[in-house]
Amino acid sequence: MDTPIQPAGKPPAGVTSNFVNPPYDGTRFAVVNAVFMPLAVIAVLIRIWTRFAITRAGGLDDYLMVFAVLCSVVITGLTVTMLHYGLAKHMWDVPITDFSPHFLLLNLLSAMLYCAGIGATKVSCLLLYLRIFPTKKFQIAVWAIIAVAASYSIASVFANLFSCSPVAKSWDVSILRGHCMDRPRFYFANAALGIITDFATVLAPMPLIRGLQLPLRQKVMLAGILVMGGCVCIVSIFRLVTISALQKSSDLTYATTDALLWCIIELNLGIVGGSFPALRPFFRQYFPGFLGGTSGRHTSRSYGYSRHQSNSNFRHSHKLASLQSSSIHTPTKGEFPIGANDSNIYSSTVGVGQTDNDSEEHIIDSRSPPFESQMGHIIKTVEYDLKVT
């Protein structure tokens, strides 16, 4: 005689367990994984190729993003496997042998990898800020946020691992001795702290960006990065709502679906947003028509001058002209505005890999030698007076 299948949870009054064709909500979960995880992988591949093959200026932030996308790939594998062990089904429709140890163990591993991956993503983005903005006070603030984000992410990994005593009690319901922490409440606190660091990461550079005098396209690019970060913040709030619902539900296999879904979206969207700065130089190098520029690497210089009227309160400026390195010409006295007492401005901007009127593309991405000391920084152009006698 066959042994009756024991459900993982007691069904509500009037409901019978269905182990053959139960209600299932896993299709959208599989679709989200199939869309967002490949986007994150592609973004990181472009980032790595750009940093190590094009600009040759890879750093710790790139390695952290690689680690984050590896976490994402493994999480996708684990969570899709969880669909076969009860995820997106009601607990009373899931056999206890599927729920424990398989569902519980895979859920624990997914939570640990999520904490590690999202922490690596945030720290990678913050390290990128250190490349871009060299201001001492700002860098101190960024290091403080890095310390908080890294500390609570590492602590979260170990908190998940040792959430029960003995540890195996986390996935083996047959172990009656020992105790476990309230994991949904821990997830809620973790999500709240994550939202705080998300907003800190997005808002930290805004005072500096607001004060910069940048071309419109450059501002649009920086704004796009911050908007992507804002989207991650919004997703984090949605995840917090789903965790709140998980706290109030005893139907763990079904209520976990939305919480895991928003975790996956948040992690992959953060990876894509963090890799966004590498997209422009990549397309400029290989698909110049996409951005309306030209390909290749060359050195360009801009020359120009403006005239100061000694007895006037205005300044007359001439548009700077871009010249190829092969046609660089130093202005002579006869080419300056007429007037023995005129003081003229001579300015030169030199960049590597730039095309005409596109110097803004290097605000974020790194530079090739011999400009490695400037990589990722915003370059300040200094004008100086040149008096011709």
Side-chain angles (χ1 to χ4, degrees):
M1 185 176 179
D2 294 335
T3 303
I5 299 176
Q6 181 182 355
K10 183 179 179 180
V15 177
T16 304
S17 296
N18 182 356
F19 301 114
V20 179
N21 187 26
Y24 178 70
D25 191 32
T27 302
R28 63 192 177 94
F29 185 85
V31 170
V32 166
N33 274 279
V35 171
F36 282 90
M37 189 273 287
L39 287 177
V41 171
I42 292 171
V44 171
L45 288 176
I46 293 176
R47 176 194 182 114
I48 295 304
W49 179 258
T50 302
R51 288 288 175 83
F52 289 91
I54 298 177
T55 63
R56 296 184 179 89
L60 178 59
D61 54 328
D62 301 303
Y63 294 114
L64 286 173
M65 200 61 82
V66 170
F67 174 76
V69 81
L70 289 176
C71 289
S72 174
V73 171
V74 177
I75 289 173
T76 295
L78 294 176
T79 54
V80 170
T81 303
M82 287 173 67
L83 294 172
H84 299 286
Y85 292 106
L87 182 65
K89 299 177 184 177
H90 295 291
M91 283 190 68
W92 52 86
D93 295 329
V94 179
I96 187 64
T97 52
D98 286 349
F99 181 72
S100 176
H102 303 293
F103 175 88
L104 291 176
L105 180 58
L106 293 174
N107 189 40
L108 174 65
L109 294 175
S110 298
M112 293 171 60
L113 286 170
Y114 163 78
C115 293
I118 201 69
T121 302
K122 291 179 183 179
V123 173
S124 175
C125 293
L126 291 165
L127 289 175
L128 180 61
Y129 286 170
L130 296 179
R131 289 191 181 206
I132 300 173
F133 302 104
T135 306
K136 184 176 181 180
K137 290 183 178 179
F138 177 78
Q139 293 207 348
I140 292 174
V142 169
W143 278 116
I145 301 173
I146 289 175
V148 173
S151 298
Y152 93 80
S153 297
I154 295 172
S156 297
V157 172
F158 287 101
N160 275 286
L161 178 60
F162 299 106
S163 58
C164 289
S165 180
V167 174
K169 188 176 176 64
S170 293
W171 61 83
D172 189 351
V173 297
S174 65
I175 299 177
L176 301 179
R177 61 186 178 86
H179 62 277
C180 294
M181 72 174 184
D182 188 343
R183 191 175 281 116
R185 182 171 295 180
F186 163 74
Y187 291 157
F188 188 85
N190 179 268
L193 189 56
I195 291 174
I196 294 174
T197 54
D198 284 341
F199 276 99
T201 301
V202 173
L203 297 177
M206 283 189 175
L208 294 179
I209 292 176
R210 188 172 58 249
L212 294 176
Q213 295 181 355
L214 303 175
L216 178 60
R217 283 186 297 175
Q218 188 170 326
K219 289 182 178 180
V220 170
M221 183 178 66
L222 291 175
I225 298 172
L226 295 179
V227 167
M228 186 72 73
C231 291
V232 174
C233 294
I234 294 173
V235 171
S236 299
I237 294 174
F238 277 112
R239 186 172 70 89
L240 185 65
V241 173
T242 60
I243 292 176
S244 178
L246 180 61
Q247 276 187 296
K248 303 172 184 177
S249 176
S250 59
D251 192 359
L252 183 61
T253 53
Y254 194 84
T256 300
T257 308
D258 283 342
L260 276 177
L261 184 144
W262 287 108
C263 284
I264 290 167
I265 294 176
E266 180 188 8
L267 175 57
N268 289 294
L269 197 61
I271 292 171
V272 172
S275 300
F276 184 79
L279 299 181
R280 183 177 174 86
F282 176 83
F283 281 102
R284 179 68 69 195
Q285 181 79 10
Y286 296 106
F287 305 98
F290 185 80
L291 295 177
T294 57
S295 61
R297 301 174 65 86
H298 65 278
T299 300
S300 63
R301 295 187 181 182
S302 299
Y303 291 94
Y305 56 85
S306 60
R307 180 179 182 180
H308 294 276
Q309 299 291 343
S310 58
N311 297 320
S312 303
N313 294 323
F314 68 92
R315 174 176 175 176
H316 181 71
S317 298
H318 297 265
K319 183 178 179 180
L320 299 181
S322 295
L323 303 174
Q324 299 296 327
S325 57
S326 59
S327 61
I328 292 174
H329 173 65
T330 303
T332 63
K333 178 180 178 180
E335 296 172 321
F336 283 111
I338 299 173
N341 295 324
D342 289 338
S343 178
N344 302 289
I345 298 298
Y346 169 83
S347 65
S348 175
T349 303
V350 182
V352 175
Q354 298 178 358
T355 57
D356 293 345
N357 299 322
D358 277 317
S359 60
E360 72 273 16
E361 70 187 82
H362 290 284
I363 278 186
I364 301 299
D365 47 291
S366 304
R367 298 174 179 266
S368 302
F371 296 99
E372 289 177 342
S373 63
Q374 300 175 354
M375 60 184 180
H377 292 149
I378 296 175
I379 307 303
K380 179 181 180 182
T381 301
V382 180
E383 292 185 343
Y384 55 91
D385 290 336
L386 177 64
K387 197 166 202 176
V388 180
T389 59

